[in-house]
Amino acid sequence: MAGRFERARKVALDISPLRESVPYRALWLGQLVSLIGTNMKVGAAAFQVYEITESSVAVGLIGLVEVVPLILFSIIGGAIGDRMDRRLLLLRTQAGLLVTSALLMVVALADSPPLALIYVLLGVSAAITAMDQPTRTALAPSLVRPDQIASVSALRQVVFQTTQIIGPAIGGVVIAGFGVAAVYGIDAASFIAGLVALRWVPASPPSAIEGKTRLESIREGMRFALRTQAILAIFVIDLVAMIFGMPRAVFPALAQQTFGLGASGLGLLFAAPSLGALLGALASGWVRTVARRGIAVIAAVAGWGLAITLAGLCVFSFPLTLFFLAVAGAADVFSAVFRGTILLESTPDRLRGRLSAANIMVVTGGPRLGDVEAGLVAGLIGAPGSIVVGGVACLVGTGVVAAAFPKFRSYVAPPDTEAGAGLDESEIQLDQT
């Protein structure tokens, strides 16, 4: 019995950062509430645009109007996060997100909501998110012990995946009963929790960037990312997975045309990958023991691509499609935990804001580019075909990345979990190109 308990403990999610750090717990809980609203908004925006246009291409364009500000403001936001009090920056971004969601609610109450204005407000929200997320990611390691970094990466995935299940599921019910305006209103209110939670988070003095302009500090971060093969590889492989393998832009068409379901079916399609990812994150305790983390990322991304391909091939059965989307989500969360851990291990603290910004730019921009790709392909060959083509392209792209980055394949976890935190670029030799 004791042996079984010990094995279960090693597999189970490590929640010690939540138990031991009040500031981290507050930050985590505030994000949990606000992201529920955010993920309600994601489904509502897709539903609203499809309802106005009846076009998967128009839904895919949501990704385009979001990805440009995400890229631009992620780069700027990371530098700002390394220069100013990160807690203060989070207060401002949460307030900004509250306002944009409230404006979306007002627009949705109009008799004929203007599509262009919806796109603009979603773009503004993406720009603010691009400054919020890297700042939050860079702040979290300073609130816990160095040996808890891998656990923080896993807990981050738990909050993301939990909210991506709860948000769309609640959003579908609210849309069906009250309309999309109510979803935007709930999203606006959810940011109050994020603001209140910051009361328990201490001020975070900015990292020193002596004698550098903002542009120079941005260049410094980008140079480090490009010169460090493990970091560059995790960015590239995630882009491959999300651009080619992310099918969410076709979910409205799949729910209504393929399966004959309405908003409730749409909510289940959005929630399925996140359910699998949540289950995977809850069983992610073992990731701490995996030394060959580069190989682990490659295997997980290949698993994502295979599961997405099977989901597209199984559209004759709604439960089977949901099942393979859930399997894809589990594979994706293992990839995300390993990638997040590699990033934090390989990055000095003074660069974490800028490297976290680059990472957020990839992990949030990639799915939006994927929306564009999936929507355009669906316009040519239909929603199921778009999913299959994307999954196969993901598998091919993963093989290309594995071949192109040999030092990423050989990446091994450093013996000291503080390795990246206290070193300069010249001292990190394991994964330099």
Side-chain angles (χ1 to χ4, degrees), residues 45 48-50 52-53 55 58-59 61-62 65 104 107 112-122:
Q48 183 183 26
V49 170
Y50 190 78
I52 293 170
T53 65
S55 168
V59 177
L61 287 177
I62 293 175
V65 301
L104 280 166
V107 171
S112 299
L115 184 61
L117 185 54
I118 294 170
Y119 282 151
V120 168
L121 289 173
L122 291 173

Side-chain angles (χ1 to χ4, degrees), residues 279-307:
L279 295 175
L282 292 175
S284 63
W286 57 273
V287 302
R288 302 190 305 271
T289 66
V290 177
R292 297 293 300 276
R293 289 175 177 160
I295 291 293
V297 171
I298 292 167
V301 175
W304 159 270
L306 178 60

Side-chain angles (χ1 to χ4, degrees), residues 191-263:
F191 291 110
I192 297 173
L195 289 166
V196 171
L198 290 170
R199 176 178 179 273
W200 285 273
V201 177
S204 173
S207 302
I209 307 179
E210 298 292 342
K212 291 185 176 68
T213 66
R214 186 173 297 170
L215 181 59
E216 288 171 338
S217 66
I218 291 171
R219 286 174 177 168
E220 181 186 26
M222 292 301 101
R223 279 197 303 270
F224 182 77
L226 293 173
R227 288 171 46 202
T228 308
Q229 194 174 114
I231 293 177
L232 180 59
I234 63 174
F235 291 170
V236 173
I237 201 167
D238 190 53
L239 283 173
V240 167
M242 293 298 103
I243 291 174
F244 296 113
M246 173 54 75
R248 65 185 185 183
V250 304
F251 284 171
L254 208 62
Q256 296 195 32
Q257 296 176 6
T258 304
F259 297 118
L261 301 171

Side-chain angles (χ1 to χ4, degrees), residues 66-89:
E66 289 180 333
V67 74
V68 174
L70 272 170
I71 292 172
L72 292 177
F73 284 88
S74 287
I75 296 170
I76 297 169
I80 294 174
D82 282 340
R83 283 178 171 271
M84 69 176 290
D85 182 348
R86 288 168 178 161
R87 176 181 178 273
L88 178 59
L89 183 55

Side-chain angles (χ1 to χ4, degrees), residues 150-429:
S151 299
V152 165
S153 294
L155 285 165
R156 182 168 175 262
Q157 290 304 313
V158 168
V159 75
F160 282 164
Q161 307 310 330
T162 300
T163 56
Q164 286 176 16
I165 297 168
I166 297 173
I170 296 176
V173 173
V174 174
I175 291 170
F178 305 98
V180 294
V183 172
Y184 293 138
I186 293 171
D187 181 38
S190 72
F191 291 110
I192 297 173
L195 289 166
V196 171
L198 290 170
R199 176 178 179 273
W200 285 273
V201 177
S204 173
S207 302
I209 307 179
E210 298 292 342
K212 291 185 176 68
T213 66
R214 186 173 297 170
L215 181 59
E216 288 171 338
S217 66
I218 291 171
R219 286 174 177 168
E220 181 186 26
M222 292 301 101
R223 279 197 303 270
F224 182 77
L226 293 173
R227 288 171 46 202
T228 308
Q229 194 174 114
I231 293 177
L232 180 59
I234 63 174
F235 291 170
V236 173
I237 201 167
D238 190 53
L239 283 173
V240 167
M242 293 298 103
I243 291 174
F244 296 113
M246 173 54 75
R248 65 185 185 183
V250 304
F251 284 171
L254 208 62
Q256 296 195 32
Q257 296 176 6
T258 304
F259 297 118
L261 301 171
S264 59
L266 176 63
L268 289 173
L269 287 169
F270 271 108
S274 296
L275 175 60
L278 175 60
L279 295 175
L282 292 175
S284 63
W286 57 273
V287 302
R288 302 190 305 271
T289 66
V290 177
R292 297 293 300 276
R293 289 175 177 160
I295 291 293
V297 171
I298 292 167
V301 175
W304 159 270
L306 178 60
I308 290 296
T309 303
L310 292 172
L313 292 172
C314 291
V315 293
F316 57 86
S317 168
F318 187 56
L320 269 179
T321 298
L322 293 178
F323 171 75
F324 283 116
L325 288 174
V327 173
D332 185 50
V333 82
F334 294 139
S335 166
V337 171
F338 283 118
R339 285 184 287 106
T341 303
I342 290 171
L343 179 68
L344 292 175
E345 287 174 344
S346 304
T347 306
D349 181 70
R350 66 185 182 83
L351 290 170
R352 275 186 178 154
R354 283 161 283 175
L355 269 292
S356 294
N359 187 52
I360 294 298
M361 179 176 65
V362 169
V363 301
T364 58
R368 286 161 175 82
L369 290 173
D371 290 342
V372 178
E373 181 273 335
L376 291 174
V377 176
L380 296 173
I381 62 175
S386 174
I387 296 173
V388 174
V389 168
V392 172
C394 175
L395 286 169
V396 173
T398 300
V400 172
V401 173
F405 294 94
K407 291 186 179 179
F408 176 54
R409 295 198 309 271
S410 63
Y411 178 90
V412 178
D416 182 357
T417 56
E418 297 184 65
L423 302 180
D424 291 324
E425 296 95 317
S426 60
E427 296 175 279
I428 301 178
Q429 298 297 330

